[in-house]
Amino acid sequence: MNLNKLEAFILVVEKKSFSEAAAALKSSQPTTSLKIKSLEEEVGMELLERYTSGIQPTAAGKLVYHAAKEITRRWRHLEDELHGFQDTLTGTLTIGASTIPGTYLVPGWVKTFRSLYPKVDVTIEIGDSKKILDKLLDHQIDVGIIGLEQDSNKLKFRPIASDSLVLITPNGHPMVHANEPEFSQIKQYDFVVREKGSGTRKVMEDYLSIHGYSLSDLHSVISIGSTEAVIAAVEAGLGISFISKLAAIPAAKANRIQIIEKFDPFLRNFYFTSLTDTENRPIIKEFTELLLKG
């Protein structure tokens, strides 16, 4: 049994598709199918079933999937330890990041890291904070950079950057011209917010709570799946919103929206998170030290 077969099987199970797994492997669908067939022949039973909803593992397939994940994780750990004996790091680093840090902070950090370790291949995956944590716990990514912190003996969280929440409106909105607006005035207008699971949404809920309000108190809330989409919706006049200042500034400079800075800013942290059982892998350790120094 070789790792290529196991990696192909893992991807087919996770993506529920031979074609998507093949694309991720930069291979052809027939080649991927042959790897799965060979793996089934080795274990002596079928591992996958086809449904209208996609590919699903059989009962045996589920056992093989979890074992394959552990085997590949341990092999990557061994590779990292062996690379530590070399003069420079080589290998891969997959970073999961929520939208704001993934868009406005992570690229700069990765550029610095790659200048120090050019032989490390880096992948950045963007998703909401909850999805990033789920992927990290499932060993689908190596580290996470998100806007949420939670209690877990499997994860370590360290604050690495801060941001603030600001109110944005369409150009020419009535709140732009108010000299000293009351916070309660926000209830008069339609609101656009991030989707459930978003760190920005959670921070917005905390901010509202400080002022004695909740999302249910706001008028005609529209939920959207990315910060850029929220900005576009506000620009189009669908409502107002609280978003990251890091995201708001470029949009305001482009005259797409306006920032209302007449309320006290609400600070938030972004956290670097890693698994406690992988934090000493050489690549993860070096990336962690780079961020914490910065």
Side-chain angles (χ1 to χ4, degrees):
M1 187 178 298
N2 63 51
L3 285 175
N4 289 334
K5 295 178 186 177
L6 295 180
E7 289 173 345
F9 179 70
I10 289 169
L11 281 170
V12 170
V13 171
E14 291 178 350
K15 295 183 176 297
K16 300 181 181 181
S17 165
F18 279 93
S19 59
E20 290 186 23
L25 291 166
K26 297 180 180 178
S27 180
S28 67
Q29 185 170 334
T31 299
T32 302
S33 296
L34 285 173
K35 288 179 181 178
I36 303 303
K37 182 178 180 181
S38 176
L39 180 61
E40 289 179 326
E41 289 174 350
E42 285 190 43
V43 300
M45 59 188 68
E46 291 186 356
L47 302 177
L48 298 172
E49 293 178 321
R50 292 167 176 78
Y51 296 96
T52 55
S53 59
I55 305 296
Q56 296 288 341
T58 61
K62 291 178 182 178
L63 289 175
V64 172
Y65 170 76
H66 291 295
K69 293 280 286 187
E70 179 64 15
I71 290 168
T72 55
R73 183 189 68 80
R74 291 193 176 191
W75 182 257
R76 284 196 298 268
H77 181 67
L78 174 60
E79 286 182 324
D80 284 341
E81 289 185 328
L82 293 174
H83 291 148
F85 289 103
Q86 299 174 347
D87 293 334
T88 185
L89 287 178
T90 60
T92 62
L93 175 68
T94 302
I95 304 166
S98 55
T99 307
I100 300 303
T103 303
Y104 301 99
L105 298 174
V106 175
W109 292 333
V110 169
K111 181 180 179 181
T112 302
F113 183 73
R114 289 271 296 149
S115 70
L116 297 172
Y117 305 107
K119 293 185 178 180
V120 176
D121 293 325
V122 180
T123 300
I124 303 172
E125 296 189 12
I126 306 293
D128 68 49
S129 295
K130 184 179 183 304
K131 288 179 182 176
I132 294 301
L133 284 178
D134 289 343
K135 284 193 171 189
L136 184 59
L137 288 167
D138 201 31
H139 294 273
Q140 295 180 40
I141 58 176
D142 297 311
V143 297
I145 299 170
I146 60 174
L148 293 178
E149 184 181 23
Q150 69 178 32
D151 292 329
S152 172
N153 57 8
K154 295 181 179 179
L155 298 168
K156 180 177 287 187
F157 290 84
R158 283 158 284 201
I160 54 168
S162 61
D163 187 17
S164 61
L165 211 62
V166 294
L167 182 67
I168 64 169
T169 72
N171 290 324
H173 191 274
M175 292 198 73
V176 175
H177 306 294
N179 291 326
E180 295 183 7
E182 295 289 334
F183 192 86
S184 60
Q185 286 182 245
I186 66 172
K187 295 196 299 179
Q188 300 176 26
Y189 306 105
D190 289 351
F191 249 85
V192 182
V193 300
R194 286 290 307 277
E195 80 290 358
K196 290 182 179 179
S198 159
T200 298
R201 180 180 175 126
K202 176 63 170 62
V203 173
M204 178 181 169
E205 290 173 338
D206 292 341
Y207 189 27
L208 290 171
S209 177
I210 289 174
H211 291 275
Y213 301 112
S214 66
L215 280 181
S216 62
D217 295 317
L218 302 182
H219 188 262
S220 187
V221 173
I222 302 169
S223 179
I224 299 182
S226 75
T227 296
E228 178 54 37
V230 170
I231 292 172
V234 171
E235 181 184 13
L238 289 179
I240 62 177
S241 185
F242 285 104
I243 68 167
S244 156
K245 191 171 185 178
L246 286 171
I249 288 175
K253 286 182 177 179
N255 201 35
R256 297 177 57 197
I257 50 90
Q258 291 187 267
I259 300 175
I260 308 298
E261 297 191 90
K262 297 170 184 177
F263 303 127
D264 291 336
F266 187 71
L267 297 180
R268 65 182 295 197
N269 286 325
F270 294 120
Y271 299 91
F272 175 80
T273 179
S274 57
L275 292 161
T276 54
D277 62 354
T278 64
E279 63 179 339
N280 289 320
R281 285 175 50 192
I283 290 177
I284 294 176
K285 186 175 181 180
E286 292 299 327
F287 186 66
T288 303
E289 290 180 358
L290 171 70
L291 265 58
L292 296 182
K293 285 179 185 175

